[in-house]
Each structure stands twice: as C-alpha cells, then as structure tokens.
Amino acid sequence: MTALSQFLVESGRVSKVLQVRADPENAVASRPVANRDAESVLASSGSRYATCATLERLPDILAEGEPIAVAMKPCDIAAIRNLQAENERARKLIVCTIALFCGTVPSLEASDDFLARRGLTRNDIVEFRWRGHGCPGPTYARTADGREFEGAYREFWVDNHWTTQFRCKICPDAVGLQADIATGDAWPGGWPKGEDDGWNMLIAHTEVGEHLLADCEAAGKIWLEDSDIEFVSDTQPHHVSLRRALAARLAAGRIAGLPEPNFSDLGLNACAAGLDPDTLAKNFAGTLRRIRAGQGDEAVKADYAD
Ligand SMILES: Cc1cc2nc3c(=O)[nH]c(=O)nc-3n(C[C@H](O)[C@H](O)[C@H](O)COP(=O)(O)OP(=O)(O)OC[C@H]3O[C@@H](n4cnc5c(N)ncnc54)[C@H](O)[C@@H]3O)c2cc1C
C-alpha cells in the first residue's frame, strides 16, 4: 500500500493520499493524515491494530477540491463508496481507493497487556508498532529514554487474547471488495512461517486498480507475480469462514430484532451455499448468544496458526 500510495502522489495522479499514522502525542493512538509526498506516505506505513476516526477530516479535504486517494480498511472504503453514491464532489475527487484485508480492529487492551508484560504503560512509550520492521516484523515499543522492547507476532495474536468487535463479526466486506485494489498478507495457510521479503497479495477489482498496478510495475515500484483464487483462500482462512457464515449471522440478527444493514451485490448467498448445515447452525446460534449477551467486545485468540 505504501508503494502504490507513493506512486500515486509522485506521479501527480492525486495531490494526497488519505491514510492513518501514529499520533505524535500518543504512541498507541492513531490519527488520519492526508499525505502529499513519498516521505510522509512512508511514515504512515505499518498495520495499526487499533481504532481510529479514519474519515473525520474527509469533508475538509474534499473542500480543497483536489484529486485524492484513500488507503485504509475495507469499512472506511465502504463509507467512501456510500458517500460517492450520493455526493458528486466525492465521486469526482476520490479517484482511487486501496483497502487492506481486515480481520478486525481490536481495542487497545491487547497492546496495554503487551506493555504491562514488560513493566510498561502507554505513558512510558514514544513509539509502538504492532508489526512493521520486517514482514511481519516483531511487535515493537520504544520508551522516551530509548529502551527498546520486542515481541513475536505469535505473542500478540496466539499466545495472548486480543479483542474483536461484534460489528466485525457481521462485516460483509472485510476483504475490500469495494476498493479499486485490495491487499492482504500472502502467508500460505494464513500464518507467517517466519520473516519474508515483504510480499503482499494484491487484487485489482476495477479498471482503475488494474491500470494502477500495471503502471506501478512498469515504473519499477512493485514486482507482480500471477496468482489465483485458491491462493487467496489459502492465505485467508478466517475470511473464507466469515464470508460463508455471514448470511447465517445476519439472519440471527434479524430474528433477534436488530436493524438489518442493507448489503447488496456482495455475493453473500452464493458464499453461504458452500457452508455445511452444522457450521451454519453453529454460527446462527453463536450470533444469537452474542446479541443476547450484549454484543460487547469479545476476547479471542487466532485459532488458525500452526
Ligand atoms: C486492523 C487490521 C486488520 C488486518 N487484518 C488482516 C487480515 O485479516 N488478513 C490479512 O492478510 N492482513 C490483514 N492485515 C494486514 C494488511 O492486510 C496488510 O497490512 C496489507 O496487506 C497492507 O500491507 P502493506 O505492507 O502493503 O501495508 P503498508 O505499506 O504498511 O501500509 C499500511 C496501510 O494501511 C493503513 N492503515 C494501517 N492501520 C490502519 C487502520 N487501523 N485503519 C485504517 N487504515 C490503516 C495505513 O495508513 C497504510 O495506508 C490487517 C491490518 C490491519 C491494520
């Protein structure tokens, strides 16, 4: 996403890319930024597994009247598409969207726990990266007096709990179907087997995305290899399960009397057709149970690591 975003600003196709970066005043917090050059795009690299008011500056940025790109989570891009459906300025000025595959946005509880295991609190640190110095790279914290702390990717996602929001459990498009380009990790089996050279999976969903990938490769900014849907599914087992189970989860919400989101054109019924009845029933019952328990954030561990 950094390479594509840098290409977009450097080639003059957009005046800025709307992204997310660490809050300079609070190392675990994130804030949206509109980056105008390659250097600031680079400073916004790295997955920030925490909530952020990603689009709060969008109206002001659109008011500047310049073409922009947005490189964020799928739900951010869904909001952009909904805005574009009714707002001509948004249609005209947001010329490219890039979404990362998103398993969920945890609360900061797991990050606080990571720090606490090292005798630290948020107040002690000036830099925090969930990953990023490498692929996946270790979780990393740096204190104001220069002490550095690291933890394995596994420590964060498998050995300890993190939280997931109920809304992410009924997310119809966690894989960026609505973006011009969607990107994910390219780890066979869905889990890193160590560090790699920084490969990503890229899917162009539109002609805008397809041309951007081709132009970016022609300019020597990225290197593309062909892949296929089997590879995508193998690297994203949790997204395959979610897409298949979603119709059952939404049905549970409907029966429990929740207002039903209107999801069209996302292929949910076709996905549900591949689900065995037992799993379908389990997802239906599990969702009803969660709704009755109040839909709060839920502590989970990744269950597909080797
Ligand atoms: C919340 C979250 C969940 C993820 N879940 C999955 C998953 O299920 N499967 C998978 O394969 N990969 C997942 N990833 C990783 C993601 O797919 C990769 O980071 C993506 O492929 C981009 O990699 P990159 O190296 O090109 O990103 P980089 O070049 O490092 O760029 C990262 C981009 O993401 C933006 N960004 C970072 N954090 C946030 C945030 N919290 N909100 C909005 N935008 C943000 C940055 O602004 C930047 O534009 C997740 C990342 C995040 C932040």
Side-chain angles (χ1 to χ4, degrees):
M1 288 175 81
T2 298
L4 296 173
S5 302
Q6 287 182 325
F7 179 75
L8 283 167
V9 285
E10 283 183 320
S11 62
R13 293 170 189 220
V14 300
S15 71
K16 27 194 175 323
V17 184
L18 187 56
Q19 296 180 276
V20 165
R21 63 164 296 171
D23 185 332
E25 283 152 27
N26 178 359
V28 291
S30 308
R31 60 163 64 163
V33 276
N35 291 319
R36 287 183 173 277
D37 54 51
E39 201 184 330
S40 51
V41 168
L42 183 61
S44 294
S45 66
S47 293
R48 302 194 59 77
Y49 293 102
T51 49
C52 170
T54 48
L55 299 176
E56 66 179 358
R57 292 185 55 204
L58 185 64
D60 295 339
I61 291 165
L62 288 177
E64 291 167 13
E66 297 174 334
I68 63 164
V70 182
M72 290 185 169
K73 301 188 306 302
C75 53
D76 304 321
I77 305 305
I80 297 279
R81 293 305 192 209
N82 287 343
L83 178 67
Q84 285 181 314
E86 60 184 40
N87 182 302
E88 196 187 334
R89 177 184 272 178
R91 269 198 299 282
K92 191 169 143 231
L93 295 179
I94 305 172
V95 298
C96 183
T97 54
I98 310 172
L100 46 81
F101 274 44
C102 179
T104 191
V105 178
S107 72
L108 282 173
E109 205 178 306
S111 310
D112 285 336
D113 290 347
F114 176 90
L115 294 172
R117 287 193 290 276
R118 287 151 181 86
L120 302 170
T121 71
R122 292 181 202 183
N123 298 334
D124 298 316
I125 56 165
V126 291
E127 186 180 355
F128 190 79
R129 297 178 71 96
W130 283 258
R131 50 187 279 196
H133 293 307
C135 186
T139 310
Y140 173 87
R142 184 166 57 84
T143 61
D145 58 6
R147 285 175 295 147
E148 295 179 297
F149 298 84
E150 285 188 353
Y153 188 76
R154 191 184 168 89
E155 177 190 334
F156 204 88
W157 297 108
V158 183
D159 297 339
N160 293 284
H161 286 106
W162 36 281
T163 58
T164 185
Q165 304 173 53
F166 179 76
R167 71 174 179 134
C168 302
K169 288 190 169 288
I170 54 161
C171 177
D173 181 16
V175 293
L177 295 172
Q178 297 171 83
D180 292 308
I181 295 176
T183 85
D185 291 314
W187 302 319
W191 199 254
K193 308 291 181 293
E195 290 292 310
D196 69 41
D197 292 333
W199 289 97
N200 287 91
M201 184 174 60
L202 291 156
I203 304 174
H205 286 298
T206 62
E207 279 184 19
V208 170
E210 211 173 347
H211 289 150
L212 175 60
L213 286 188
D215 293 350
C216 213
E217 185 179 36
K221 303 294 183 187
I222 55 171
W223 177 288
L224 294 175
E225 282 186 3
D226 284 340
S227 190
D228 54 29
I229 191 66
E230 280 72 33
F231 180 77
V232 176
S233 295
D234 180 48
T235 59
Q236 305 293 329
H238 51 309
H239 287 300
V240 174
S241 310
L242 176 61
R243 299 253 310 134
R244 288 199 170 133
L246 205 74
R249 294 182 186 184
L250 291 175
R254 195 182 314 134
I255 281 174
L258 288 189
E260 191 180 355
N262 179 8
F263 300 135
S264 55
D265 299 332
L266 292 172
L268 297 182
N269 288 337
C271 290
L275 194 67
D276 69 88
D278 285 350
T279 314
L280 198 142
K282 208 171 136 199
N283 274 276
F284 183 87
T287 305
L288 266 185
R289 207 171 44 244
R290 285 192 176 94
I291 291 169
R292 289 189 177 134
Q295 307 173 43
D297 284 6
E298 191 174 329
V300 286
K301 288 183 179 183
D303 59 2
Y304 48 89
D306 56 8

